[in-house]
Amino acid sequence: MSKVKYYYDKESLSYRKIERKKRTTFKYATLFMLAAAFFAFIFVFIASQYVESPKERALKRELQNAQLQFELLNKKMEQAEAVLANIADRDNNIYRVYFEANPIPEEQRRAGFGGINRYKNLEGFDNSKLIIESNKRLDILQKQIVVQSKSLDEIAILAKEKESLLAAIPAIQPVSNEDLTRMASGYGMRSDPFTKVRKMHWGMDFTAPRGTPIYASGDGVVERADSNSSGYGKHIRINHGYGYTSLYAHLYKYNVRKNQKVKRGDLIGFVGSTGRSEAPHLHYEIFKDGDRINPINFYYGSLTAEEFNKLLEHASLENQSLD
């Protein structure tokens, strides 16, 4: 209950009740409301600067989590870029070199995207620059992965072809060392056994007893197994593909027929002395793209270094051939 106030009236010599005017009351009420509003504003302002609301705390946690996830994403992208760079380096400097393929230029691997602005919808935000740069990194990374994937597909095809090529090249000696009497004559100028005139000997002569096994020197298809070539007698020709053909002449008999597929090391015939031959032996030739080449360079698949050096020494002697 509010206190009642009085004042002493000198004229009436009595106490009179103080009556507050409505105008004064309104004035005081207004001043009070203004002061209260001012202090409330000051309090809210200070509180907003130093005290977080539950919503602000939640937003702050979300922002911190987003920043953490972005940092983790950046680290993952850096790791992916490092791994991809290592694969690209091995691809260019090992795989493509081995399979004789041209390396992929760096500008092709890291090329960006031209034309229209792909990131226009990401502009206008507080962190637009950061978001756009991250999207560019991801896009380039994805493109590098596509380029590398296509390159590895190409390498897989080249590897398959290379495996087939290595199996096809005539790479072993057609007569086993255990069955050889001697290496009678090599590739080059030799004395003809019948005319005694020096002429080109286009193959290698392996002396061995009649009936000694003869083996295919590489994978291929029997192109001929007949005696219809002058001087060769019974002979076999194997087409190995990739421009290679091997010829085995003066055979005693065949163990294959025309159009038969053979593998390296398969028994294809037996040593004889048919055709223009002075004694039982195998005359062996190799053709590359139709030209005769020295078979001495194709024995890496069956001889040790010591055996190859010994064979090379005998093959280089300018002696008399046997055919």
Side-chain angles (χ1 to χ4, degrees), residues 69 210 244:
Q69 294 301 322
R210 184 172 182 253
Y244 289 99

Side-chain angles (χ1 to χ4, degrees), residues 23 27 47 55 61 70 73-74 90 96 100 130 134 146 158 169 172 178 186 192 216-217 241 248 292 303 311:
R23 183 177 179 183
K27 178 180 177 182
K55 185 176 181 180
R61 284 196 300 269
F70 183 76
L73 178 63
N74 264 331
R90 284 186 290 165
R96 302 186 74 83
E100 300 175 355
L130 188 63
S134 296
V146 171
L158 291 172
I169 290 176
I172 65 170
E178 291 80 7
D192 185 278
S217 55
Y248 313 77
R292 293 181 177 97
L303 301 180
L311 180 66

Side-chain angles (χ1 to χ4, degrees), residues 22-294:
K22 291 183 178 180
R23 183 177 179 183
T24 303
T25 302
F26 178 76
K27 178 180 177 182
Y28 285 137
T30 302
L31 287 174
F32 175 79
M33 294 296 293
L34 287 174
F38 174 76
F39 283 108
F41 173 78
I42 294 297
F43 176 78
V44 170
F45 175 77
I46 294 173
S48 67
Q49 295 298 314
Y50 300 100
V51 181
E52 293 180 342
S53 68
K55 185 176 181 180
E56 286 176 329
R57 284 196 294 270
L59 289 173
K60 187 176 181 180
R61 284 196 300 269
E62 288 181 15
L63 181 60
Q64 288 173 340
N65 182 59
Q67 289 173 336
L68 176 62
Q69 294 301 322
F70 183 76
E71 289 174 3
L72 292 174
L73 178 63
N74 264 331
K75 287 181 180 179
K76 288 179 180 179
M77 281 197 292
E78 287 172 5
Q79 291 172 351
E81 287 168 346
V83 170
L84 194 58
N86 180 263
I87 295 173
D89 181 65
R90 284 186 290 165
D91 183 33
N92 272 351
N93 299 311
I94 298 177
Y95 308 141
R96 302 186 74 83
V97 170
Y98 178 77
F99 294 111
E100 300 175 355
N102 292 328
I104 298 175
E106 186 66 20
E107 56 269 21
Q108 183 179 339
R109 290 183 183 274
R110 298 191 59 82
F113 300 87
I116 60 172
N117 184 0
R118 298 166 57 91
Y119 312 103
K120 189 174 180 64
N121 62 320
L122 301 176
E123 295 175 351
F125 299 99
D126 291 340
N127 297 307
S128 288
K129 185 177 180 181
L130 188 63
I131 296 170
I132 290 172
E133 287 303 315
S134 296
N135 275 272
K136 281 182 180 179
R137 282 182 70 184
L138 279 172
D139 286 342
I140 292 173
L141 191 60
Q142 287 175 338
K143 183 175 181 180
Q144 286 180 281
I145 291 171
V146 171
V147 170
Q148 187 59 61
S149 177
K150 289 181 179 178
S151 176
L152 291 176
D153 289 341
E154 183 185 353
I155 292 297
I157 294 171
L158 291 172
K160 189 174 181 180
E161 291 178 352
K162 191 82 170 185
E163 183 180 359
S164 176
L165 169 62
L166 292 175
I169 290 176
I172 65 170
Q173 193 171 274
V175 179
S176 174
N177 268 343
E178 291 80 7
D179 299 327
L180 278 180
T181 304
R182 64 190 178 93
M183 213 293 293
S185 182
Y187 179 94
M189 298 299 294
R190 299 292 183 268
S191 176
D192 185 278
F194 299 101
T195 64
K196 308 303 179 184
V197 174
R198 288 181 79 251
K199 68 175 188 179
M200 185 64 186
H201 187 246
W202 295 105
M204 297 184 73
D205 291 342
F206 297 93
T207 304
R210 184 172 182 253
T212 298
I214 299 170
Y215 304 100
S217 55
D219 295 2
V221 178
V222 177
E223 198 172 63
R224 293 181 63 173
D226 56 54
S227 57
N228 298 328
S229 254
S230 176
Y232 288 129
K234 291 183 178 180
H235 75 290
I236 294 171
R237 299 189 196 212
I238 298 176
N239 186 340
H240 302 281
Y242 304 98
Y244 289 99
T245 301
S246 58
L247 181 147
Y248 313 77
H250 311 305
L251 274 60
Y252 162 60
K253 63 178 180 179
Y254 311 112
N255 196 55
V256 291
R257 62 185 181 279
K258 185 179 179 181
N259 297 326
Q260 181 178 333
K261 290 183 179 180
V262 294
K263 293 287 186 181
R264 179 182 292 150
D266 284 355
L267 177 63
I268 59 173
F270 302 90
V271 171
S273 188
T274 58
R276 193 175 184 272
S277 172
E278 189 179 58
H281 74 287
L282 170 68
H283 176 80
Y284 177 64
E285 294 182 12
I286 293 180
F287 296 79
K288 178 67 170 75
D289 298 325
D291 296 324
R292 293 181 177 97
I293 57 178
N294 194 344

